[in-house]
Amino acid sequence: MSDNKSVGAKGEQFAAEYLKDKGYEILEMNWVAERCEVDIIAKYNSVIIFVEVKTRTNDFYGNPEEAVNEAKQENLMKVADAYLIENDLDNEIRFDIISIIWNKNRKDIYHIEDAIVP
């Protein structure tokens, strides 16, 4: 596993634990549809939340959440549609971003609710 993939996988696990601690139910991790992927699908109360996790070792080139560009946002919406159809769900949905800076000196997490508005 490349270093970037390793950092990303660790960040996704950290984000999932963070959400569980906040009372979210983790429904899926790395769910794929239509050649697109969402890092975490969670449920909080009756809302289904599609979470993009961005993990970096530093913020030299900007905050991790800035990497969720328009194309990535469109892919998340495609995945959400596919997930809702496949599971015959009619729940309210939300798109969140979890931004993580993780290195030997710091482990910061920033949860942005409703980060993407369809």
Side-chain angles (χ1 to χ4, degrees):
M1 184 178 287
S2 77
D3 212 32
N4 285 344
K5 285 193 181 273
S6 176
V7 168
K10 287 178 187 175
E12 289 169 10
Q13 285 300 317
F14 182 54
E17 291 303 317
Y18 167 86
L19 291 171
K20 286 180 198 174
D21 289 347
K22 295 284 187 184
Y24 289 66
E25 175 187 356
I26 304 302
L27 302 175
E28 302 283 347
M29 297 279 299
N30 304 112
W31 199 81
V32 178
E34 299 183 35
R35 298 173 44 185
C36 302
E37 178 187 33
V38 61
D39 297 321
I40 299 172
I41 302 173
K43 187 175 183 182
Y44 188 75
N45 297 323
S46 63
V47 179
I48 304 295
I49 299 116
F50 298 87
V51 183
E52 178 65 18
V53 179
K54 288 297 179 191
T55 308
R56 301 287 185 265
T57 56
N58 61 61
D59 56 1
F60 295 148
Y61 300 105
N63 294 317
E65 67 271 15
E66 294 171 7
V68 183
N69 60 26
E70 190 173 323
K72 181 62 179 176
Q73 292 176 30
E74 289 173 10
N75 287 341
L76 287 170
M77 289 180 226
K78 284 182 193 175
V79 171
D81 285 342
Y83 183 81
L84 295 172
I85 291 167
E86 183 173 307
N87 291 282
D88 194 27
L89 298 172
D90 190 26
N91 298 57
E92 179 182 339
I93 66 169
R94 189 175 85 204
F95 296 92
D96 292 3
I97 298 172
I98 293 184
S99 174
I100 301 169
I101 302 284
W102 188 344
N103 58 46
K104 64 182 179 181
N105 298 317
R106 82 192 241 211
K107 189 189 307 187
D108 298 333
I109 188 165
Y110 179 48
H111 183 187
I112 308 164
E113 296 180 5
D114 274 323
I116 302 164
V117 180

